Amino acid sequence: MLLAEALKERADLQTLVARLHERLDANARVQEGEKPTEDPRELLTKLDEALARLEYLMVHINKTNAVSKVGDETIMALLAKRDCLKQKMGILRSFLNEASDLTSRMCRDEIKVLPTVAVAEQQNRLDKLSQDLRLLEVRIQQSNWNTELL
């Protein structure tokens, strides 16, 4: 099985577990004399099976990411780099939104509000980070389709 296939199955299992959780909650209690729309014991069995498979996939995905290389770096290192890059971009985007939000003055006596950085320059930096992220995500996706799950 390829890493990409395992990642897709993991996502599907996470969705299934969430749905089973909702279905279990919906069938936790019934009015006296009524029957639940679904048998909670069957749902619990399905939940156990889904979580066992999910655990298996998570362990093997993590093992694969820890040892598989893309160039000189492991997939795990690329994922950490991607996550930090996304966080940096989110913070920078928020900062630039604040810096760009200039308060209009009604009269000349009001306090003038100015950005603390050159917004255009920082926006160019954000654009470069966006491009770096796209290229990194392409590398990660390619590795997912070229790596066998351990």
Side-chain angles (χ1 to χ4, degrees):
M1 169 183 274
L2 292 175
L3 179 56
E5 294 169 315
L7 291 168
K8 175 64 175 133
E9 184 178 346
R10 180 186 69 182
D12 291 345
L13 284 167
Q14 289 168 332
T15 301
L16 174 61
V17 167
R19 282 198 325 263
L20 287 168
H21 181 182
E22 292 169 1
R23 290 164 60 191
L24 277 164
D25 285 353
N27 289 283
R29 296 185 299 160
V30 293
Q31 204 171 16
E32 186 177 353
E34 297 292 322
K35 292 185 182 209
T37 55
E38 293 183 88
D39 182 356
R41 288 179 297 275
E42 287 180 24
L43 293 173
L44 287 168
T45 299
K46 288 178 183 180
L47 179 66
D48 288 343
E49 292 168 356
L51 287 172
R53 179 65 179 166
L54 182 59
E55 180 183 343
Y56 171 86
L57 287 173
M58 290 170 72
V59 166
H60 289 275
I61 288 167
N62 288 338
K63 281 182 183 179
T64 303
N65 287 341
V67 300
S68 299
K69 296 259 189 172
V70 178
D72 294 338
E73 297 180 281
T74 62
I75 296 173
M76 182 177 62
L78 292 177
L79 293 171
K81 185 181 289 187
R82 180 195 65 189
D83 292 347
C84 288
L85 188 54
K86 283 181 175 181
Q87 187 171 13
K88 181 188 231 176
M89 289 172 59
I91 292 168
L92 186 55
R93 211 174 265 119
S94 174
F95 173 68
L96 289 175
N97 285 339
E98 289 296 320
S100 299
D101 187 21
L102 302 178
T103 307
S104 61
R105 299 187 302 169
M106 298 298 221
C107 64
R108 294 185 339 154
D109 293 342
E110 288 186 59
I111 297 172
K112 189 174 184 179
V113 177
L114 299 172
T116 57
V117 296
V119 173
E121 180 181 308
Q122 292 300 317
Q123 185 60 53
N124 288 338
R125 179 177 174 214
L126 181 58
D127 293 343
K128 172 71 171 95
L129 291 174
S130 294
Q131 180 183 16
D132 292 347
L133 178 62
R134 281 190 303 277
L135 294 174
L136 181 57
E137 286 182 334
V138 166
R139 287 179 65 202
I140 292 169
Q141 288 298 320
Q142 284 176 329
S143 69
N144 290 345
W145 286 106
N146 293 321
T147 303
E148 285 289 329
L149 189 68
L150 297 180

